[in-house]
Amino acid sequence: MTQVKNTAPAPITTSPGTPSVHVSGEGQDAAPPDIKSLHGWLHTARFLTTAPQLEHLPTLDVPEVAFVGRSNAGKSTCINTLTQQKRLAFASKTPGRTQSINLFSLGKQGQTDAVLADLPGYGYAAVPREAKLRWQRVMGNYLMTRENLKAVVLLCDPRLGLTELDEILLDVIRPRVQSGLKFVILLTKSDKLTRAEANKALSIAKLQCGGGEARLFSALKKQGLDEMARLLWDWTHGETVAPVEQPDAAGDDEPPALD
């Protein structure tokens, strides 16, 4: 894990037993960086911590962007491509097996000004139902209650389109999207489509994104990298984090199962 300097002015609040990181205030009021600088910023990504349960996540004061999607949607490949690192995000050889939230910090010179959250893939049939339900609760609660969550990237294989499970996830985050949470449907593996097929898939996704955005992405052809680099910077260096909707007094509702 990257050694963090102790000279930065504002520490991020973390839970006991988790690594401490520091906020970089540099450049908050400066002009937007050029695309080369944006890719350089993403390349600073380093492992921060992993959490099998929500209570194990550190409480952070910097914006967080969550990457979510079905198993085999290309989530790990997307994160590794964006950060120009081959093994930052780990793709299990057995889809659906990795069931922890992995956090990666971003920021130059050991400082942290944003965090990427890699959430486990969902919908893999071979995962036992009990494990699916346990993870469904963790992921649903994360998306609904994570205080510093600023944006969600939903990865989707355009050959399949949004599935029922993706629609369930959209329903989970819809109240926060309406309150300002940033959101994009990222159509991965777009190199496997013809131009006409890609345009059609993109048009459909734009109709389904419900207040968010939709983009084409290809790790192989490096399509969409510049656009996503700009989005990630803008999302994490904006003004406010989308508010968390407070639960009703009963407080016993569970998010719907992603299985």
Side-chain angles (χ1 to χ4, degrees):
M1 189 178 300
T2 303
Q3 183 65 38
V4 180
K5 296 182 179 180
N6 295 320
T7 56
I12 297 177
T13 303
T14 60
S15 302
T18 59
S20 61
V21 290
H22 292 81
V23 180
S24 172
E26 182 182 355
Q28 293 296 318
D29 299 322
D34 58 28
I35 195 63
K36 182 177 180 180
S37 297
L38 291 178
H39 288 303
W41 171 67
L42 285 172
H43 189 53
T44 67
R46 60 255 183 211
F47 176 78
L48 177 61
T49 191
T50 186
Q53 299 287 349
L54 201 61
E55 59 267 25
H56 297 153
L57 281 175
T59 301
L60 304 176
D61 291 333
V62 295
E64 195 161 290
V65 178
F67 285 73
V68 300
R70 286 178 56 89
S71 297
N72 291 332
K75 182 163 51 62
S76 297
T77 299
C78 175
I79 294 174
N80 290 338
T81 301
L82 286 168
T83 59
Q84 308 121 67
Q85 300 186 42
K86 293 182 178 180
R87 294 185 59 81
L88 180 69
F90 177 74
S92 173
K93 293 182 179 179
T94 304
R97 173 167 294 180
T98 304
Q99 295 200 347
S100 294
I101 299 174
N102 294 312
L103 299 185
F104 309 107
S105 58
L106 290 169
K108 295 183 178 181
Q109 298 179 340
Q111 309 305 306
T112 295
D113 56 20
V115 169
L116 304 181
D118 180 13
L119 275 64
Y122 51 83
Y124 189 65
V127 177
R129 179 171 175 80
E130 182 178 348
K132 290 180 183 179
L133 292 175
R134 182 193 70 79
W135 174 242
Q136 162 259 313
R137 288 190 291 270
V138 174
M139 185 165 68
N141 288 332
Y142 167 88
L143 292 171
M144 290 189 295
T145 65
R146 183 68 167 165
E147 292 281 355
N148 66 319
L149 183 63
K150 186 67 174 289
V152 173
V153 180
L154 172 59
L155 292 98
C156 171
D157 187 332
R159 296 169 298 177
L160 301 175
L162 290 183
T163 66
E164 181 181 357
L165 300 182
D166 298 318
E167 294 286 358
I168 290 173
L169 185 141
L170 289 179
D171 286 340
V172 168
I173 66 172
R174 197 177 309 278
R176 294 195 72 180
V177 172
Q178 294 172 348
S179 298
L181 182 76
K182 304 300 182 182
F183 171 69
V184 65
I185 297 174
L186 198 61
L187 300 175
T188 59
K189 308 178 184 180
S190 61
D191 54 278
K192 298 183 181 296
L193 304 177
T194 65
R195 183 184 297 271
E197 290 171 338
N199 289 335
K200 180 179 179 180
L202 183 60
S203 297
I204 293 173
K206 286 181 176 179
L207 294 175
Q208 296 173 313
C209 63
E213 302 181 54
R215 302 290 176 94
L216 293 169
F217 186 88
S218 169
L220 180 63
K221 297 295 183 64
K222 303 297 187 286
Q223 180 184 13
L225 266 64
D226 290 354
E227 292 85 351
M228 280 306 299
R230 175 64 65 187
L231 269 184
L232 291 170
W233 173 270
D234 290 345
W235 286 343
T236 56
H237 293 75
E239 294 180 358
T240 58
V241 173
V244 173
E245 184 173 323
Q246 296 301 316
D248 296 333
D252 54 359
D253 291 339
E254 289 286 358
L258 296 175
D259 63 358

